[in-house]
Amino acid sequence: MRIEEDLKLDFKDVLFRPKRSTLGSRANVELLREYRYRHSGRTSTSVPIVAANMDTVGTFEMSAALARHHLHTALHKHYAVEDYVRFFSDANREAHRLAFYSLGILEPDLEKFRAVRRATGEAIEFVCIDVANGYTETFIDFVRRFRDEFPTLTIMAGNVVTADVTEALILAGADIVKVGIGPGSVCTTRKMTGVGYPQLSAIIECADAAHGLGGHICGDGGCTVPGDVAKAFGGGADFVMLGGMLAAHDESGGEIVERDGRTYRRFYGMSSDVAMKKYAGGVAKYRASEGKEVLLPARGPVENTVQDILGGLRSTCTYVGARKLKDLSKCTTFVRVTQQINEVYGRAD
Ligand code: 5GP
């Protein structure tokens, strides 16, 4: 047994230190980022925030709404082949250009992807190869074989939280490594397994490893307010994936529930009992559920939430003197704190 004594940080442990700057208005802050990907050789221009590939977040409707602001959506993997084909064949939609097709590493996942790809030609640019535990040889081998078969797709793969496997995944063919084990709002992995890594430190360390190899990372999970999204970018994330912050909107999917005259939407983890019953006929005997279900007050159109997140991010940039999102991590000094928010009148939201 060994204990690592180095301090590891979460979003709640830091704040941005404000800096003098010559920036005028926050309206002038550029949030679009242009990336060139190590393996696919493709480039993209977008606001690099990604809706999570959960069936109560990453829907076609979400993708249409977010694309208006040049944000990405990782589509959940439970649509039928015909539905993906229709979505990716629609040349009029910006949404399909920014959408990630998500898949797991089982043979049926691969077959389904091949079928969609055959029917849609070059329409799919981004894929997200997603497993709960990115530390298995099977996963890394899958990424390698997938890269061989599809040399021009931009591949995001995860999840991991350490530099060693980030490097291994990039060398195996991933363009973007997805980072986060256990920080998610409806994730119970830490409770059930005791495994995890503080998310801000995971982002900082994995970004450093990826950037050294010309790769990118996506911080996935644990953002609860716009300030957390800014901290993820400040720590070096190239992309930030959001589940809970985009859940419970008109576009999120998720069953509507009326209780005591109020409207709620169901939101649940993709490894929760609910999701496994819905898609896999129940939780297999050898495994435990690692996600939970919550009822969230319905939040209306996602447009307002997007404005809040982008507004917060622009404001962070002006406080630290970054003219563009690209400069945010260079301009970032985090201060460690013991308190974040004054909660004397309850949670400020
Ligand atoms: P959030 O933004 O809600 O904090 O986190 C979203 C992320 O949580 C997703 O992108 C995914 O990585 C993770 N996640 C989603 N469902 C589950 C689940 O059932 N179990 C675990 N361990 N993680 C989940």
Side-chain angles (χ1 to χ4, degrees), residues 52-86:
N53 50 333
M54 304 169 75
D55 66 350
T56 46
V57 180
T59 62
F60 293 141
E61 295 77 17
M62 182 63 76
S63 174
L66 297 190
R68 280 181 221 125
H69 296 273
H70 314 288
L71 273 62
H72 297 266
T73 295
L75 298 168
H76 70 74
K77 63 175 199 175
H78 299 293
Y79 287 115
V81 169
E82 309 76 72
D83 296 330
Y84 292 113
V85 170
R86 201 174 314 117

Side-chain angles (χ1 to χ4, degrees), residues 302-318:
V302 77
E303 174 71 22
N304 299 339
T305 302
V306 172
Q307 300 279 6
D308 269 2
I309 297 170
L310 302 188
L313 204 45
R314 286 197 186 90
S315 191
T316 310
C317 288
T318 52

Side-chain angles (χ1 to χ4, degrees), residues 118-335:
R118 268 195 302 275
T120 54
E122 295 293 310
I124 299 176
E125 292 187 25
F126 293 98
V127 297
C128 170
I129 307 175
D130 194 27
V131 294
N133 172 6
Y135 283 76
T136 66
E137 277 305 310
T138 332
F139 174 61
I140 299 173
D141 285 346
F142 183 91
V143 171
R144 192 174 293 115
R145 280 185 285 115
F146 194 88
R147 168 55 72 204
D148 289 344
E149 187 171 343
F150 303 105
T152 61
L153 286 176
T154 299
I155 300 175
M156 175 153 78
N159 280 21
V160 301
V161 285
T162 50
D164 52 346
V165 187
T166 298
E167 285 168 3
L169 281 169
I170 289 173
L171 295 174
D175 296 294
I176 309 163
V177 173
K178 195 148 69 78
V179 173
I181 294 189
S185 57
V186 281
C187 163
T188 56
T189 293
R190 291 179 184 176
K191 182 172 154 195
M192 295 305 292
T193 68
V195 177
Y197 208 94
Q199 182 66 357
L200 181 63
S201 285
I203 287 174
I204 294 170
E205 294 169 25
C206 296
D208 195 45
H211 296 164
L213 291 172
H216 293 88
I217 69 141
C218 176
D220 174 21
C223 291
T224 58
V225 289
D228 292 343
V229 181
K231 289 173 190 175
F233 283 121
D238 305 292
F239 292 84
V240 177
M241 182 173 269
L242 303 177
M245 284 182 70
L246 298 176
H249 294 90
D250 295 350
E251 298 84 351
S252 312
E255 188 194 337
I256 296 173
V257 178
E258 303 283 346
R259 280 232 178 122
D260 305 326
R262 294 194 64 183
T263 309
Y264 297 85
R265 273 185 191 264
R266 283 189 200 284
F267 173 50
Y268 48 82
M270 294 312 291
S271 325
S272 62
D273 286 355
V274 196
M276 285 197 273
K277 276 197 196 105
K278 193 162 169 193
Y279 298 115
V283 183
K285 287 224 164 40
Y286 61 86
R287 61 185 288 184
S289 147
E290 286 182 24
K292 64 181 175 188
E293 181 190 45
V294 291
L295 273 187
L296 303 178
R299 299 166 72 190
V302 77
E303 174 71 22
N304 299 339
T305 302
V306 172
Q307 300 279 6
D308 269 2
I309 297 170
L310 302 188
L313 204 45
R314 286 197 186 90
S315 191
T316 310
C317 288
T318 52
Y319 271 114
V320 302
R323 271 171 208 288
K324 357 182 195 159
L325 182 57
K326 181 170 193 261
D327 298 337
L328 179 56
S329 80
K330 273 180 272 182
C331 296
T332 294
T333 303
F334 286 127
V335 276

